Amino acid sequence: VSDPRHVLLVGLPGSGKTTVAPLLAERLGWRSVDIDDEVERRLGMPVAQAFTDLGEPRFRAEERVAAEVALAAADPVVIAAGGGLIAQRGAIELLQRRAMVVCLDAPDAELAARVGSGEGRPLLGATPGVSLHHLRAQRSASHDQALLYVATAGRTPTEVAEAIAATLNTAVRVGTARPYLVHVRAAAVDEIGSYLPPSARRVVVIADEAVGAVADALAVRLRGRDRTAVVLAIPGGEPAKQWAVAGRLLERCSDAGLDRDDCIVAVGGGSIGDVAGLVAATYMRGVAWVVVPTTLLAMADSAVGGKTAVNLRRGKNLAGVFWQPRAVVCDPSLLAGLPERSFRSAFAEVVKSSMVGGGHVAEVVDRRLEAALGRDPEALTELIRACCTLKAEVVGGDERELGRRAILNYGHTVGHAVEALTGLGTGLDHGEAVAFGMRAAGALSVVEADCPAGDIAHQDALLDACGLTQRPRVSAAEVAAQLGSDKKARAGVARWVLLRRRGDPVTGIVAEPGAVRTAISAALAA
Ligand SMILES: NC(=O)c1ccc[n+]([C@@H]2O[C@H](COP(=O)([O-])OP(=O)(O)OC[C@H]3O[C@@H](n4cnc5c(N)ncnc54)[C@H](O)[C@@H]3O)[C@@H](O)[C@H]2O)c1
């Protein structure tokens, strides 16, 4: 994870922040700073004495200054936060922008045993057990905002540091208003408990029945002393994306007693993510949700970005909201049973990412495409991570698609028109239609945006290599006529995403109608 540069460890007294910080820093090759030590240095006295001699407000002010100094460092730092830092109203949101907040935790009894008499810990008083219980209640809302929750019971500090380092080294951070991590690695689902807010006592897993076994195993992992989990399995695909299905799922969440601190987990492809996300966004005006994508399309594209939707009679995704998940868990081993057509078709979005993103994602796609097509797990992991990194970067800068996020619609103008013409669920599938749309948008880019023909020839060769060579049985005129009905058209005129070259997309282009028909004909004939 590259941005932001710092890690901030938070947690109740005894959770291990001070011990783990230097161990984690060592593994990441960073520096570590302990805020309590800094405050002691600044004030020239131990924390407990500062509390009694100077009072809590003064101590907290010093704590804030020390944290600001640490966060301003140019080199990456692991910071062990004083507990009071995040207890301050609104502090967690500020800290999240500058650092990845990781919460360490253990049951109260274990924390109490670790802190012993509570000596040197002014907040714990004479009865640490009771005080811990209160502190937990006070700080739970802040702790719930962390990017990662690490259970430390039964683990040595070194094991904890190693687990955090392994997670951070393989995750992608999405810098939305409330940031979250996309975990991309084999067996990432085994750690599902670390991605859910600790306050979530009830979990509803909304799953595609095709991956019911994955959902059941996940629910078993989630259930514990303080947590229940129920699985609601429904048929996946477009039939899941209906208002009526969302309504039934909402009733089931209510039957399960889900409340505002609880959590929904979506397990399935883009269709389940879209409907489960809408349920999470609307249940009690919004509860936390975590996505576990099980198709390549969902891992490389749809699970990141918080777009949720159901279809209406007149078209796809016509009713929905933006609601970002708390975490996305991409475990490429879940793709093992995915049918070949769905697998291949997702490469349209992968090639698209490389064409609009350029740079790193283009390099990874060019180097790893062949191995990934052969389902090599490491190549798939690298490819998914590169696509998620691009999507995170784009979505983080434009959460609600008011500007740059539209670049991700490259190829979709014609793609959607083809899907509408050939009927949803018949003819070309979504990826095949987008691949065709990219060929048309590519041909148009050469004419309308001076894109080098070689870049588009390369794009088309990549699509060929993926077996995405399907052409719709429609005429160029029919496709052109359909373009004006697209959701993203304005006043019946399509707005194109074109390429000035690979990695340099331009949005909102109104193209000359003759050039549009020629480009579509070229794509049909190729
Ligand atoms: N929210 C977004 O940003 C976004 C982006 C792109 C696409 N989408 C939406 O995503 C949907 C398409 O998603 P998709 O391509 O993931 O397909 P999907 O969810 O429709 O699933 C396709 C089929 O694969 C099955 N399946 C899922 N996982 C499987 C597995 N691991 N093994 C075997 N079978 C499995 C499903 O049951 C279904 O029959 C569309 O509705 C599209 O609108 C959303």
Side-chain angles (χ1 to χ4, degrees):
V1 181
S2 54
D3 173 42
R5 309 174 65 83
H6 312 300
V7 168
L8 186 81
L9 297 181
V10 302
L12 293 173
S15 59
K17 303 179 295 271
T18 301
T19 321
V20 171
L23 296 170
L24 176 60
E26 196 182 316
R27 272 149 193 85
L28 295 171
W30 299 3
R31 210 158 45 85
S32 78
V33 170
D34 190 290
I35 297 295
D36 279 351
D37 288 352
E38 290 303 304
V39 174
E40 289 189 346
R41 206 171 45 77
R42 295 173 76 88
L43 295 175
M45 62 179 81
V47 168
Q49 193 189 342
F51 244 73
T52 36
D53 291 6
L54 307 174
E56 186 169 349
R58 171 77 199 284
F59 178 83
R60 294 290 174 225
E62 288 297 333
E63 200 176 33
R64 244 187 344 263
V65 174
E68 272 163 28
V69 170
L71 287 165
D75 59 325
V77 186
V78 178
I79 304 163
L85 193 61
I86 62 152
Q88 301 177 25
R89 218 182 159 76
I92 187 89
E93 287 80 8
L94 281 176
L95 296 167
Q96 289 269 33
R97 272 183 228 146
R98 314 274 292 280
M100 290 175 289
V101 178
V102 175
C103 180
L104 306 184
D105 200 13
D108 286 353
E110 167 126 8
L111 294 177
R114 287 186 199 164
V115 297
S117 65
E119 201 183 323
R121 297 178 183 266
L123 283 181
L124 294 183
T127 49
V130 178
S131 309
L132 278 165
H133 188 69
H134 283 294
L135 276 180
R136 183 182 292 282
Q138 249 172 27
R139 296 186 184 165
S140 69
S142 298
H143 288 164
D144 271 357
Q145 303 296 323
L147 291 185
L148 197 64
Y149 320 97
V150 184
T152 60
R155 287 160 122 177
T156 65
T158 303
E159 285 167 347
V160 170
E162 270 163 12
I164 300 172
T167 301
L168 295 183
N169 280 330
T170 53
V172 176
R173 177 181 176 274
V174 189
T176 36
R178 174 190 276 155
Y180 57 98
L181 292 179
V182 184
H183 304 274
V184 191
R185 65 198 157 101
V189 277
D190 295 354
E191 301 289 324
I192 186 82
S194 306
Y195 315 138
L196 265 63
S199 302
R201 296 284 173 244
R202 293 172 211 82
V203 180
V204 167
V205 181
I206 298 179
D208 187 322
E209 342 175 290
V211 287
V214 174
D216 289 341
L218 214 117
V220 169
R221 276 190 191 283
L222 286 172
R223 281 182 200 121
R225 202 160 41 95
D226 296 328
R227 188 178 269 162
T228 62
V230 294
V231 177
L232 307 181
I234 60 170
E238 291 310 306
K241 290 179 55 171
Q242 293 182 55
W243 198 249
V245 174
R248 281 198 293 277
L249 289 169
L250 284 163
E251 292 290 0
R252 299 283 299 276
C253 288
S254 165
D255 292 343
L258 216 63
D259 75 25
R260 288 164 66 179
D261 289 334
D262 291 331
C263 187
I264 289 174
V265 177
V267 183
S271 58
I272 295 294
D274 280 4
V275 71
L278 184 60
V279 169
T282 49
Y283 185 72
M284 293 196 168
R285 300 198 183 89
V287 294
W289 70 303
V290 169
V291 198
V292 181
T294 64
T295 64
L296 180 57
L297 175 104
M299 291 190 196
D301 183 16
S302 71
V304 178
K307 276 190 183 178
T308 74
V310 291
N311 303 329
L312 299 181
R313 269 202 308 274
R314 285 180 165 275
K316 276 187 61 144
N317 303 330
L318 291 181
V321 297
F322 288 96
W323 187 244
Q324 301 294 339
R326 286 301 178 89
V328 179
V329 190
C330 297
D331 184 340
S333 61
L334 299 182
L335 299 174
L338 192 67
E340 190 62 14
R341 187 175 177 194
S342 162
F343 180 73
R344 292 244 157 196
S345 156
F347 279 89
E349 302 291 356
V350 171
V351 175
K352 177 204 77 180
S353 300
S354 87
M355 295 309 295
V356 297
H360 174 68
V361 60
E363 184 275 318
V364 173
V365 168
D366 287 353
R367 182 167 47 82
R368 298 299 256 162
L369 187 70
E370 199 184 325
L373 283 163
R375 301 198 185 217
D376 174 82
E378 279 168 19
L380 275 173
T381 305
E382 202 179 343
L383 211 67
I384 293 165
R385 193 177 297 132
C387 290
C388 289
T389 302
L390 172 75
K391 188 137 186 208
E393 182 249 306
V394 174
V395 167
D398 180 18
E399 198 169 333
R400 300 176 73 89
E401 200 168 312
L402 300 171
R404 186 163 182 259
R405 186 166 175 175
I407 65 171
L408 301 175
N409 297 325
Y410 177 66
H412 287 62
T413 314
V414 164
H416 286 151
V418 165
E419 280 186 285
L421 283 174
T422 53
L424 299 177
T426 58
L428 271 57
D429 76 9
H430 178 70
E432 293 160 355
V434 168
F436 174 74
M438 286 167 61
R439 290 176 195 268
L444 192 59
S445 297
V446 175
V447 181
E448 295 267 318
D450 284 333
C451 183
D455 284 16
I456 302 306
H458 185 68
Q459 161 194 286
D460 293 353
L462 291 172
L463 294 172
D464 290 346
C466 301
L468 293 168
T469 54
Q470 301 77 6
R471 306 290 193 270
R473 280 185 290 278
V474 287
S475 70
E478 283 174 303
V479 177
Q482 182 66 32
L483 292 174
S485 318
D486 190 63
K487 196 166 62 205
K488 283 162 184 131
R490 298 224 186 104
V493 178
R495 308 280 151 153
W496 290 81
V497 182
L498 299 179
L499 299 176
R500 284 187 285 240
R501 61 184 168 76
R502 192 182 198 193
D504 185 10
V506 48
T507 60
I509 300 292
V510 176
E512 203 273 307
V516 168
R517 274 195 304 278
T518 309
I520 298 169
S521 300
L524 280 170

